[in-house]
């Protein structure tokens, strides 16, 4: 039996990283991720974690250093958020294309402008196509366990792909709850020391980080795609082993609540799942058949699992803290594609909320389910609906624009 502690999401994730025993940590602080690398620096200083701790000069350098360390065969960790993740974007494809199983925590935070330090998911969702497995935690316990599980998945020989674990900024990173921490013995039994042939080796030289022109490039990209698609299989194996050793079972690529007989189902990502399930439970008590699907891993896209969960619904909604400007929410696009490819045509509404850290309230969640029941009855609704948006008067617009420099 491990230790039980009262930790924030950031601190819980740091405990999971400690148990994974990374050999190199490259750190650059950015709100609301900073607490993770602060706690890890304290662990290295106290000797409770043996690792090379590198305080680099930028987020770009943080991932570049992790790539270099991974290329020597070291288990590595880094963390970032928002503009820092965007600054890393160039390096993301180097890590995935090089098949370096780096684990990185991203504290989901709004991207600017306007400048904002609070949590939405536009940072990670804008980088879905960069070759990283993307996971989204709902609470501190899952964040801690995901840190360990991410290494086991990334380092599996069937995948060898980096993993980005996302925690909602402030809503998860800075809120506290009780978590159970596995013992070091349990963690070591679950996650053995990292061994790989994808490394610099002077005795057996290998070609790394090379160029590939039109005749060969496509083979490498297809290989990345096929190997990432194996994540569902690998995750099932890894989570079963985690349950056998630690005693906690996680549900795989998605988590479902009340979907078997639901008339309407809401798809969510991250910590808002707690509110969605709480409201859904109240509605169930009133005799309304509602369900919730939480996507735990958005890359690879768990299309088959989502289709299976949604196939019996009369209408579905996707609630996300993101908008792909000029189109719709990125999660909505992915879910709609999965349904279309499966031949399912369901009334669907994309709810955009929580942008810039805006609260998603219980009343808004009830409104979501009301809208979905209305859709199920054949009523027309906008395909994309923003929360908390009111049409301002001209005087309010002029007041808001006071002091803003003119573009003319």
């Amino acid at each position: 039996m491990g230790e039980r502690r009262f930790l924030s999401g950031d601190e819980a994730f740091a405990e999971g990283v400690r148990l994974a025993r990374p050999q190199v940590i490259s750190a650059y602080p950015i709100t609301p991720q900073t607490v993770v690398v602060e706690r890890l620096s304290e662990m290295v200083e106290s000797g409770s974690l043996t690792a090379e701790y590198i305080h680099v000069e930028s987020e770009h350098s943080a991932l570049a250093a992790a790539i270099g360390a991974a290329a020597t065969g070291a288990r590595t960790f880094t963390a970032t958020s928002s503009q820092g993740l965007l600054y890393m974007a160039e390096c993301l494809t180097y890590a995935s294309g090089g098949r370096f199983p780096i684990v990185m925590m991203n504290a989901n935070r709004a991207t600017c402008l306007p400048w904002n330090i609070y949590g939405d998911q536009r940072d990670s969702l804008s980088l879905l196509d960069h070759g990283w497995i993307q996971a989204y935690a709902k609470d501190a316990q899952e964040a801690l366990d995901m840190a360990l599980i991410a290494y086991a998945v990334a380092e599996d020989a069937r995948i060898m792909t980096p993993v980005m674990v996302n925690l909602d900024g402030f809503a998860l990173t800075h809120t506290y709850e009780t978590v159970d921490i596995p013992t070091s013995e349990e963690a070591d039994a679950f996650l053995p020391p990292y061994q790989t042939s994808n490394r610099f080796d002077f005795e057996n030289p290998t070609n790394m980080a090379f160029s590939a022109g039109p005749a060969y490039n496509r083979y490498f990209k297809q290989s990345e795609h096929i190997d990432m698609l194996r994540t569902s299989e690998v995750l099932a194996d890894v989570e079963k082993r985690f349950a056998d050793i630690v005693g906690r079972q996680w549900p795989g690529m998605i988590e479902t609540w009340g979907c078997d007989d639901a008339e309407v189902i809401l798809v969510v990502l991250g910590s808002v799942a707690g509110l969605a399930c709480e409201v859904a439970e109240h509605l169930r008590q009133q005799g309304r058949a509602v369900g919730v699907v939480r996507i735990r891993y958005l890359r690879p896209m768990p299309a088959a699992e989502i289709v299976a969960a949604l196939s019996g619904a009369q209408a579905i909604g996707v609630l996300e803290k993101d908008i792909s400007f000029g189109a719709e929410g990125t999660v909505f696009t992915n879910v709609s594609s999965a349904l279309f490819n499966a031949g399912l045509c369901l009334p669907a509404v994309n709810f955009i909320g929580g942008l810039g850290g805006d609260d998603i309230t219980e009343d808004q969640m009830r409104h979501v389910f009301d809208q979905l029941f209305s859709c199920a009855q054949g009523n027309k609704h906008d395909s994309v609906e923003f929360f908390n948006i009111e049409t301002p008067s001209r005087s309010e617009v002029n007041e808001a624009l006071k002091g803003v420099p003119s573009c003319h």
Side-chain angles (χ1 to χ4, degrees):
M1 175 65 71
E3 184 182 6
R4 177 168 288 184
R5 293 178 61 191
F6 190 59
L7 300 175
S8 70
D10 272 346
E11 292 171 336
F13 199 89
E15 287 295 327
V17 173
R18 175 184 64 81
L19 291 169
R21 301 187 190 276
Q23 294 156 294
V24 177
I25 298 168
S26 50
Y28 190 84
I30 179 172
T31 303
Q33 163 268 122
T34 304
V35 173
V36 173
V37 292
E38 284 180 342
R39 294 296 174 269
L40 288 170
S41 71
E42 293 164 3
M43 294 170 186
V44 172
E45 181 69 18
S46 69
S48 61
L49 172 61
T50 301
E52 292 294 328
Y53 189 94
I54 310 171
H55 188 189
V56 296
E57 72 277 11
S58 73
E59 292 90 353
H60 187 285
S61 298
L63 188 49
I67 291 169
T72 70
R75 180 175 287 160
T76 62
F77 175 75
T78 191
T80 191
S81 179
S82 185
Q83 301 299 128
L85 178 62
L86 301 187
Y87 190 23
M88 286 180 171
E90 179 189 17
C91 294
L92 291 175
T93 55
Y94 276 85
S96 57
R99 311 305 288 271
F100 299 122
I102 299 163
V103 170
M104 174 166 64
M105 192 213 86
N106 177 59
N108 283 126
R109 181 187 126 182
T111 54
C112 61
L113 284 173
W115 187 255
N116 184 293
I117 65 168
Y118 299 101
D120 65 34
Q121 295 162 334
R122 284 179 292 151
D123 52 0
S124 58
L125 291 176
S126 71
L127 297 171
L128 282 175
D129 301 332
H130 282 53
W132 286 57
I133 295 167
Q134 282 205 23
Y136 290 79
K138 71 173 180 180
D139 56 29
Q141 185 66 69
E142 186 172 38
L144 191 158
D145 292 352
M146 269 187 170
L148 271 169
I149 289 170
Y151 280 104
V153 170
E155 294 171 4
D156 190 285
R158 292 168 286 180
I159 294 182
M160 289 296 291
T161 297
V163 177
M164 181 191 306
V165 182
N166 295 282
L167 278 64
D168 284 324
F170 292 102
L172 179 50
T173 60
H174 284 62
T175 55
Y176 281 74
E177 57 191 286
T178 302
V179 297
D180 292 311
I181 304 173
T183 65
S184 296
E185 292 75 17
E186 289 172 334
D188 291 343
F190 169 73
L191 186 68
Y194 175 46
Q195 299 290 331
T196 181
S197 59
N198 185 33
R199 58 185 292 271
F200 295 125
D201 186 339
F202 294 116
E203 300 300 322
N204 300 286
T206 185
N207 193 352
M208 301 179 71
F210 47 82
S211 297
Y216 296 102
N217 193 283
R218 62 188 183 275
Y219 294 106
F220 290 97
K221 298 302 105 180
Q222 184 197 38
S223 175
E224 278 188 63
H225 176 64
I226 291 173
D227 289 351
M228 189 188 281
L229 289 176
R230 297 191 177 103
T231 300
S232 180
E233 171 192 352
V234 171
L235 182 64
D237 294 344
V238 167
E239 289 187 340
K240 181 181 184 304
R241 189 156 50 84
F242 187 85
D244 291 342
I245 295 170
V246 179
R248 272 189 298 280
Q249 180 67 61
W250 293 102
M253 301 290 287
I254 69 171
E255 183 177 35
T256 62
W257 187 94
C259 292
D260 290 344
D261 63 343
E263 297 174 21
V264 303
I265 298 175
L266 181 65
V267 180
V268 295
L269 193 70
S271 61
V272 75
L275 176 61
C277 288
E278 181 180 337
V279 171
E281 185 173 356
H282 291 161
L283 293 175
R284 280 273 174 176
Q285 293 170 359
Q286 298 169 14
R288 308 183 78 187
V290 302
V292 177
V293 170
R294 177 173 71 95
I295 299 177
R296 299 182 70 234
Y297 289 78
L298 191 56
R299 280 296 179 274
M301 176 63 183
E305 293 91 335
I306 289 173
V307 168
L310 300 181
S311 59
Q314 299 173 23
I316 63 117
V318 177
L319 169 57
E320 57 188 297
K321 302 176 181 180
D322 160 76
I323 180 66
S324 181
F325 301 109
E328 58 198 11
T330 301
V331 183
F332 186 76
T333 299
N334 280 260
V335 171
S336 298
S337 175
L339 294 174
F340 177 83
N341 289 329
L344 285 176
C345 183
L346 298 173
V349 182
N350 187 195
F351 300 96
I352 309 299
L355 297 183
D358 190 26
D359 283 339
I360 296 176
T361 67
E362 184 176 335
D363 285 342
Q364 287 171 343
M365 195 66 72
R366 288 180 179 275
H367 166 76
V368 163
F369 286 112
D370 287 341
Q371 292 282 75
L372 296 183
F373 276 111
S374 178
C375 284
Q377 293 165 5
N379 297 313
K380 295 291 185 180
H381 292 271
D382 291 340
S383 60
V384 179
E385 178 181 325
F386 282 79
F387 286 172
N388 273 357
I389 299 291
E390 299 176 358
T391 303
S393 66
R394 186 61 194 171
S395 61
E396 289 173 326
V397 171
N398 290 336
E399 185 67 25
L401 291 177
K402 281 184 179 178
V404 177
S406 172
C407 295
H408 301 290

